[in-house]
Every structure is written in C-alpha cells, then in structure tokens.
Amino acid sequence: MTTLDEQVRAADPAQAVPPYNVDDVARILAAARQERTETAGTDLPVDAVGPTRRRWSLAGRRARISMALAATVLAIGAIPSLIDLPGVGQVETALPAVAAVLDKAALNATDPPARGSQYFRIRNVEVTTATQDNGEANAQVWQMTYERVEYVAVDGSRPTYVVSRKLSQPTLIAGSTTPPPPPPSFGNNTESVRTSTLTPNHLKGSWQTPTAPWLSDLPRDTTALRERMYQDAHGHGPSTDGEVLVLAADVLRSGRVPADLRTSLFKVLRTVPGVAITSEAVTLDGRRGVGIGRTETSGGFRQELIIDPDNGQVLGEREVLTQPMSSTGPPAGTVMSSRAVSQTVVDKVPDDVRRRAVTDQCTVGQDGETTCT
C-alpha cells in the first residue's frame, strides 16, 4: 500500500523535470516577469523584465508550460529560494540574478538564540584610506587595517565596551614611495579599551547608530519599510535610490539587525532600481559572499554590500572606485575601504576588558546628541 506522500509524488506532473541551476532560475524568472508585463500591457524598462521583449511563439507556449511545471516544483519546495515573497507589491526592478540572491538571503536569514542578559560580540575588521596631499605629482594614498570589537548588551540596558587596535602598518597603494610618512590621521599603535556611563537604550537611534528600540520600531512590512527608507534618503547622496542602499549598508554594518528586519531590508533592496550583482565572489576577513551594489553616475565610487545568501548574513561592505582618482592615484576597480562584520553571542564582557576600560562621562542632550568627556 502506497503512502500519501508517495501518491502525491506519483501525481506530480513535474516529477521528470530536472533540477534548476542558478542560470536556469534567472531565465525562468525573467521569462515569467516578461509574460506578466506583456499581458498587463505595462511599459517597463527592458532591464526590469530581463531579455528583450518578444511575441510568444510556439516555443514561448512551451516555455509557459515549463514554467507551470516549475510552479508545481516550487509548491513542493524544490526551489525554496524562489518562493514569492509577500510585501514587495508591484514594484519589481531587480534583475533576475540579483533578485534570486536577495530572495535566498531573505528566506535564510536567522539569528542565534540570545537572552537579554547576554552580550552581542560584534567584530569589525575595517580597511580605511587616507590621502597625503603633497601636490599632484607626489600625492600619496595609504591604507590601514583596524579591528574593533564591541560588547553590546542584547537588551541594550548595560553600557557597551569597545576594544580597538591596529592590525597592520600603513600600506602605500598609490603615489610616490618617497617620504613624507603616512598621514597622522592613522594614529598610533596603542590599543584602546573604552566604555561609557550610557547604555545603548539611552542613545538616539538612527540608521547610522541603531539601538534596540529604534530597530524594533522600524516596519517589517516591505512596502512600509521601503516608504520609510525613501523618505529618509530623499535629498541626500548622489541619488535617492543610491542613498537607500547606503542606509541599508549603514544599519546592516552594525551587526545588530535582527533576522526579520534583515529579511525586509533584502526585499526592499530587491525593488531599488540599478541594484545589481557587482561581484560573484568577494572575500572579507576569510568569508566569501556575493557583492550587491549600485553604480552612481557621479561621485566616482560604488557602494557594495557583501551578502552570504546561504545564511542570510551580511558579511560587510566595501567602497570601490568606478573611475581613477587622478593621473597618479588608484585606478578604477580599487577597493578604497571595506568593513567585515561578524557577530557571536557571549555570556559576559571579558574580565580583562572590564578592568582595562576607560569610562567616558557622557550625557544625552534634549536634541538627542551625545556629549562625552
């Protein structure tokens, strides 16, 4: 006697359809969006629906049959990364390849279990750039790598501890090798351990300095979150679309964004015109992900988020030159800065960190600005 599961599988009209790879998935998504657009008579840009639009021939009818079979496969979970995500509405501007990556990341976003009494240990490895302007012929561009480890209370009710140190000496990436030395902005090699009299919950939350209450108040509905982000991005940056990507990078680099909000942010990025896969494989601090970015028509830089779609984690970000800085400066394609982010949950701040920490005396003014001495 066959089981119900066996009966369902036997009745599946798509049981003979072979598995799809990433390229197949992108083509199916493009064809599906193209047919829907033609049926509705909506005039969308070509890059919003995939390949050049054409009338459906007999081959097109066969393609629709194949898509119907693929839909059956989707219904039983054979391609979980392409399940239709609610909340996106009618705004779909992402190319199929980046849409598939963001869909998969949204579905796979999870968080480790954490209690309010514990701490997030958030590690940042940051590469920064500084220019020593000694005239066009002798201008120098230096890079330095830093590590910053934060211990942030899960419930935001206890002060944060921050450990900062250099991981490398300055490296000259462009310009004359003749002295002068690196810019003084790189500082010294002394490790810094600091805390303050404030807790995260005392601070004014923002995209750049997210707090637990501020993150909790952001909408999870994709349409509402998209409206909020476009409202906050309006009037800033080279373009509003580009600034939405910057806001997403600002908050995601904190390492504090919970999985449900990351899911919503990925869905919003799926709707931002011009967002594309900028690199199939980017390594940050030993971890590999996919580069998602948007090239601006001005500014000379491209902002990128590095996402691991297999676990829905943001590995970090980087800023890439889209044109040479100058005749003697770094060429287009140079990674000018990057930040790798990782998060774990720990029970407490290490005793040696507490012991060595310098406590800043801080207050929050009526305007929400923080002042420390």
Side-chain angles (χ1 to χ4, degrees), residues 198 202 204 363-371:
L198 298 178
H202 286 131
K204 178 183 178 181
T363 57
V364 179
Q366 292 184 349
D367 58 357
E369 296 300 317
T370 303
T371 303

Side-chain angles (χ1 to χ4, degrees), residues 290-333:
V290 179
I292 305 294
R294 187 179 187 280
T295 301
E296 297 291 337
T297 57
S298 63
F301 290 93
R302 181 177 66 242
Q303 176 96 23
E304 296 182 349
L305 274 176
I306 314 303
I307 296 171
D308 184 346
D310 291 333
N311 59 21
Q313 294 288 344
V314 174
L315 305 185
E317 62 176 334
R318 63 181 191 172
E319 194 174 60
V320 182
L321 277 180
T322 57
Q323 59 190 45
M325 284 187 64
S326 66
S327 60
T328 59

Side-chain angles (χ1 to χ4, degrees), residues 27-186:
R27 284 193 293 270
I28 289 173
L29 277 175
R33 291 182 180 125
Q34 174 180 318
E35 181 184 14
R36 180 180 62 192
T37 301
E38 291 183 347
T39 302
T42 303
D43 187 16
L44 292 179
V46 171
D47 66 351
V49 295
T52 303
R53 301 199 302 175
R54 63 185 186 283
R55 292 186 178 275
W56 284 102
S57 60
L58 178 59
R61 292 176 59 193
R62 289 173 181 157
R64 290 202 297 275
I65 294 172
S66 296
M67 285 186 284
L69 293 178
T72 305
V73 177
L74 284 174
I76 62 174
I79 318 178
S81 64
L82 295 180
I83 293 175
D84 187 28
L85 297 172
V88 174
Q90 299 303 312
V91 183
E92 292 190 18
T93 57
L95 294 170
V98 70
V101 169
L102 290 169
D103 286 353
K104 188 174 183 181
L107 286 167
N108 291 334
T110 57
D111 288 326
R115 301 186 305 274
S117 60
Q118 294 178 305
Y119 287 83
F120 294 122
R121 182 185 186 272
I122 302 168
R123 180 174 182 261
N124 289 264
V125 176
E126 183 174 3
V127 177
T128 62
T129 302
T131 300
Q132 186 85 317
D133 188 6
N134 309 304
E136 178 70 18
N138 296 315
Q140 297 175 319
V141 181
W142 298 82
Q143 281 190 338
M144 174 77 79
T145 304
Y146 295 88
E147 179 188 59
R148 175 185 172 94
V149 178
E150 296 178 282
Y151 295 90
V152 183
V154 170
D155 62 5
S157 66
R158 284 147 288 149
T160 297
Y161 287 77
V162 181
V163 182
S164 303
R165 65 187 180 99
K166 286 184 179 180
L167 291 183
S168 74
Q169 294 301 313
T171 301
L172 185 68
I173 65 170
S176 170
T177 57
T178 305
S185 59
F186 275 135

